């Protein structure tokens, strides 16, 4: 059995201090999280543990994470919201 967060805890963790992050992360948990591999679910939980200013910079393209797995998952999340 894995030690992944439950869906309600993930939803709560996606409620950030910035609306820009909320509108990216919360829908991803509802619509994309279940399709992730176990490894990517673990990466997503690591992403949620990051500070809001870092997340904002990464998602808005002002900076890149030094962690390649985090940066790849950010791309996956952004691809889901691009039209």
């Amino acid at each position: 059995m894995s030690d992944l967060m439950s869906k309600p805890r993930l939803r709560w963790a996606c409620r950030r201090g910035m609306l820009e992050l909320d509108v990216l992360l919360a829908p991803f948990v509802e619509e994309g999280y279940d399709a992730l591999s176990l490894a990517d679910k673990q990466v997503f939980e690591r992403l949620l543990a990051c500070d809001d200013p870092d997340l904002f910079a990464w998602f808005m393209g002002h900076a890149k994470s030094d962690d390649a797995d985090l940066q790849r998952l950010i791309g996956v999340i952004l691809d889901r919201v691009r039209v």
Side-chain angles (χ1 to χ4, degrees), residues 2-45:
S2 68
D3 292 335
L4 293 174
M5 281 188 218
S6 67
K7 210 60 174 287
R9 288 193 66 190
L10 283 171
R11 286 183 195 108
W12 180 255
C14 287
R15 295 183 59 162
R16 312 302 289 204
M18 300 175 137
L19 178 62
E20 296 88 347
L21 296 176
D22 292 351
V23 299
L24 289 169
L25 297 173
F28 182 77
V29 166
E30 298 303 325
E31 301 164 7
Y33 177 81
D34 290 335
L36 294 177
S37 67
L38 177 59
D40 279 348
K41 287 177 180 177
Q42 292 168 336
V43 172
F44 185 72
E45 288 189 12

Side-chain angles (χ1 to χ4, degrees), residues 23-71:
V23 299
L24 289 169
L25 297 173
F28 182 77
V29 166
E30 298 303 325
E31 301 164 7
Y33 177 81
D34 290 335
L36 294 177
S37 67
L38 177 59
D40 279 348
K41 287 177 180 177
Q42 292 168 336
V43 172
F44 185 72
E45 288 189 12
R46 284 196 299 116
L47 185 69
L48 293 179
C50 295
D51 293 331
D52 284 358
D54 291 332
L55 290 173
F56 181 81
W58 298 337
F59 277 106
M60 297 304 128
H62 302 298
K64 290 190 180 228
S65 172
D66 292 334
D67 184 315
D69 289 330
L70 291 180
Q71 191 60 46

